[in-house]
Amino acid sequence: MYSIIVDYHLKRIVQLSTVCSKWRAVAIGAPSLWGTISSRTTKDAIDLALERSKGAPISAWLMSSGDTTDLDGEERHLESMRSYRFLELVHPHMSQCRVVSFENVKALETSRMFTERGVRLSDYLERMIITRNESPLPDDSIIPFFSVAGRLLELHLQNLAVSRDDILRIFSNSPKLKSLRLESLLVPASEQSRETTAFSDPEQAHSNSPDIYLPCITTLKLRRLPSSLLYPIVKNIGMSGLRNVDILHDTSAAGNDLENSNETTSSIGLDMLVSRLITTSKWFRMKLLPSGLSIKPLTSKPACIYVVELIGSQSRLLPWLRLRSFPQATDAYRLELSLADDSMGEAPEQAVIYNLVRFQKVRSVVLRGRRESWRWIWMLSLPDAVTADGLDAEDGPAGTKKSWLWPQLKYLNFFGDIVDEFTTLSMLSARYGTQRKKSEGTGESGGEVVLDRLVSLEVHPGSREWRPEVLDRIREIVGPGIFRWQKS
């Protein structure tokens, strides 16, 4: 239906204007009827529509050639005119545009048109989509954006070289914005150099940024942006209406380095947004990836569906989350850790293990892979796991702080053909074998942290069978209805 409306709008209006003289007078006398133009029509039709629109708001759609359904329900193939030809026709009328949808513009044609003449925002503008089909290069010319659009509801820019100041000016003057999608935007090095590095001094980083407040935002997609753009945008995002969030931030890219990530001083950008997102779902999963880590909700119907993927060194990302982002959460949350051999590399850095054992409110752990499954099952069996292997070097002399690993753990999931029955039974006996006081949180009893009891222990046996008496003993330790032997 969407393509029918756009592709055949002019054809239908022209047909109506030829029915009789009265209909023709009505059609020609109503400029708003001629306000939808598509690149999948002829130049003559576009010229006619622009002439008869008489300055009224227009919607301009640059579309690719492709199959569509005509007004009679028949399948047809429509050819699109070249991007540059369509842009030449529309560009002089940008001040009339209510909708600008220029998708998959070729890089060369973008540079020839937009970089020479810029993009002028209209007072009518409600929706603007400009995307290129190729990634921007460092030597690409900047596309300037002029004026502001106070009625703007949707903005999607992708694979463009832009001025940071232009983009932030648009946001600071678009309080009604509901959908924001920015992907792979390139900001000149000269503009990035004005900012401090990603997390070092957020107050200084934002000192030259205009105040941006987007109270109506519902959809937020920010992928592969420089920090000089990302942080001012997320600083004051309105959370009340936020329903979909997709963020991918490459901290290994130039200008996005994590500086001073072990400091406890909170930054004012992404760390605050992450902390507010995790409290919208209460339950969330942090999964380590070969390229970094991801965070997403676990609840079936979260108030906000979000995915935050951070690319970079896990030894830098984990302390930043543990010390600077998660502590800002004002509401209770529960964390699931997903740990696997292939996501943690051949030899995880000591800093990775150090920070993982110190994450608070870990309620669920999913283990995959032989090395990591053995590592964490073994550490769960130690009453002084937090100080094992000198992991407390940053907290003081060994032995001054001893604690069970993740005392709030309630859900555990792993494969039984990787961790054998003896190791599993030993861990459960050490951790839960004696009758401990059930607690909703952590506390101390005689200097020892009180452990929460498991509410779900899920083991996938694979090809290895465990003895019936071992299974019975496990059920006895964890309690009835807790242990699930999940045969596929």
Side-chain angles (χ1 to χ4, degrees):
M1 179 62 68
Y2 159 81
S3 63
I4 294 177
I5 294 173
V6 174
D7 290 327
Y8 296 100
H9 178 84
L10 282 182
K11 181 178 180 180
R12 179 60 78 192
I13 298 302
V14 170
Q15 288 175 341
L16 291 175
S17 67
T18 60
V19 171
C20 65
S21 59
K22 288 185 178 181
W23 282 39
R24 177 178 177 81
V26 170
I28 295 177
S32 59
L33 291 178
W34 303 88
T36 299
I37 57 177
S38 164
S39 63
R40 297 204 292 202
T41 188
T42 65
K43 178 181 180 299
D44 291 341
I46 293 176
D47 286 337
L48 180 64
L50 292 173
E51 177 187 349
R52 291 182 175 177
S53 66
K54 298 178 182 179
I58 62 174
S59 299
W61 303 81
L62 175 60
M63 308 174 73
S64 304
S65 302
D67 295 331
T68 185
T69 304
D70 64 18
L71 296 172
D72 297 321
E74 300 293 331
E75 291 291 331
R76 292 188 58 186
H77 181 81
L78 293 182
E79 290 291 335
S80 176
M81 67 174 61
R82 288 181 61 85
S83 302
Y84 187 75
R85 289 187 61 194
F86 182 74
L87 296 177
E88 272 196 322
L89 294 172
V90 173
H91 196 276
H93 301 270
M94 292 290 288
S95 61
Q96 293 178 238
C97 285
R98 175 181 286 141
V99 174
V100 173
S101 181
F102 301 157
E103 298 190 61
N104 299 319
V105 181
K106 293 183 179 179
L108 177 61
E109 295 177 343
T110 306
S111 63
R112 291 173 59 191
M113 174 60 67
F114 290 137
T115 59
E116 294 173 3
R117 308 182 191 180
V119 177
R120 183 165 297 279
L121 309 184
S122 98
D123 294 335
Y124 306 112
L125 190 63
E126 297 178 356
R127 180 181 188 187
M128 183 165 68
I129 301 172
I130 303 177
T131 66
R132 288 195 334 182
N133 54 8
E134 301 173 17
S135 299
L137 300 175
D139 58 350
D140 281 357
S141 299
I142 292 176
I143 298 176
F145 288 79
F146 303 110
S147 190
V148 295
R151 300 181 181 182
L152 191 62
L153 301 176
E154 177 183 353
L155 178 65
H156 181 193
L157 305 177
Q158 181 177 354
N159 292 334
L160 305 178
V162 298
S163 166
R164 169 187 175 274
D165 294 342
D166 286 352
I167 301 302
L168 296 185
R169 186 188 68 252
I170 294 173
F171 298 146
S172 63
N173 291 277
S174 302
K176 298 179 180 180
L177 194 65
K178 292 185 176 182
S179 176
L180 175 60
R181 292 180 290 168
L182 304 180
E183 304 177 61
S184 300
L185 299 186
L186 181 67
V187 171
S190 59
E191 293 192 4
Q192 292 195 53
S193 64
R194 298 204 305 263
E195 306 297 318
T196 56
T197 50
F199 295 80
S200 55
D201 189 347
E203 291 288 359
Q204 183 179 350
H206 298 299
S207 60
N208 296 322
S209 302
D211 290 334
I212 297 173
Y213 182 55
L214 304 175
C216 301
I217 199 78
T218 60
T219 300
L220 184 68
K221 185 174 185 179
L222 307 172
R223 297 178 64 85
R224 298 190 181 278
L225 300 182
S227 294
S228 58
L229 262 183
L230 178 66
Y231 292 115
I233 295 172
V234 301
K235 177 182 175 182
N236 293 317
I237 286 291
M239 297 294 295
S240 60
L242 204 55
R243 296 294 177 264
N244 292 278
V245 176
D246 182 356
I247 293 178
L248 187 153
H249 187 46
D250 188 354
T251 66
S252 64
N256 293 349
D257 187 29
L258 296 176
E259 294 292 337
N260 300 323
S261 59
N262 285 316
E263 294 181 1
T264 56
T265 303
S266 297
S267 59
I268 309 179
L270 187 59
D271 54 358
M272 183 180 293
L273 177 63
V274 172
S275 68
R276 290 189 291 175
L277 285 174
I278 64 176
T279 58
T280 65
S281 61
K282 309 302 182 184
W283 262 107
F284 73 99
R285 170 183 294 163
M286 184 171 72
K287 183 176 182 179
L288 269 61
L289 305 171
S291 59
L293 56 85
S294 69
I295 298 171
K296 60 179 63 177
L298 273 179
T299 48
S300 58
K301 293 183 179 180
C304 177
I305 300 173
Y306 61 86
V307 177
V308 178
E309 184 174 345
L310 302 176
I311 297 176
S313 169
Q314 294 172 356
S315 63
R316 307 288 296 278
L317 297 172
L318 290 173
W320 176 76
L321 286 169
R322 183 174 69 88
L323 298 176
R324 300 181 61 167
S325 181
F326 291 176
Q328 297 187 62
T330 56
D331 296 326
Y333 65 85
R334 292 174 286 183
L335 168 62
E336 176 181 286
L337 289 177
S338 180
L339 308 173
D341 289 4
D342 57 356
S343 63
M344 298 180 65
E346 295 183 1
E349 296 181 50
Q350 191 75 352
V352 173
I353 307 302
Y354 176 89
N355 282 279
L356 284 174
V357 302
R358 283 162 174 77
F359 268 99
Q360 301 297 313
K361 303 180 183 179
V362 176
R363 296 296 184 94
S364 176
V365 174
V366 177
L367 302 174
R368 297 293 183 263
R370 180 171 298 279
R371 184 196 65 217
E372 295 308 315
S373 295
W374 275 89
R375 181 202 305 275
W376 297 106
I377 293 296
W378 168 69
M379 293 187 70
L380 284 169
S381 70
L382 302 177
D384 57 352
V386 176
T387 62
D389 297 329
L391 294 178
D392 66 334
E394 299 182 29
D395 288 337
T400 59
K401 292 184 179 181
K402 294 184 178 182
S403 169
W404 291 93
L405 176 64
W406 304 322
Q408 294 183 343
L409 182 67
K410 290 180 176 289
Y411 302 85
L412 183 59
N413 184 310
F414 60 91
F415 279 96
D417 56 352
I418 294 178
V419 179
D420 60 30
E421 57 184 14
F422 175 77
T423 303
T424 302
L425 187 57
S426 298
M427 180 273 291
L428 294 173
S429 297
R431 191 174 176 95
Y432 306 108
T434 58
Q435 292 298 319
R436 301 180 183 277
K437 181 181 177 181
K438 185 175 181 180
S439 171
E440 293 301 323
T442 58
E444 292 192 0
S445 177
E448 185 176 358
V449 173
V450 178
L451 296 174
D452 283 2
R453 303 288 298 185
L454 286 177
V455 298
S456 175
L457 172 62
E458 187 171 313
V459 180
H460 306 267
S463 59
R464 177 177 294 180
E465 290 292 335
W466 287 11
R467 291 171 294 171
E469 55 270 27
V470 173
L471 300 179
D472 291 341
R473 177 56 182 154
I474 290 175
R475 294 187 180 96
E476 180 182 343
I477 293 174
V478 300
I482 304 301
F483 177 52
R484 288 186 290 173
W485 184 245
Q486 292 287 85
K487 289 187 177 182
S488 56

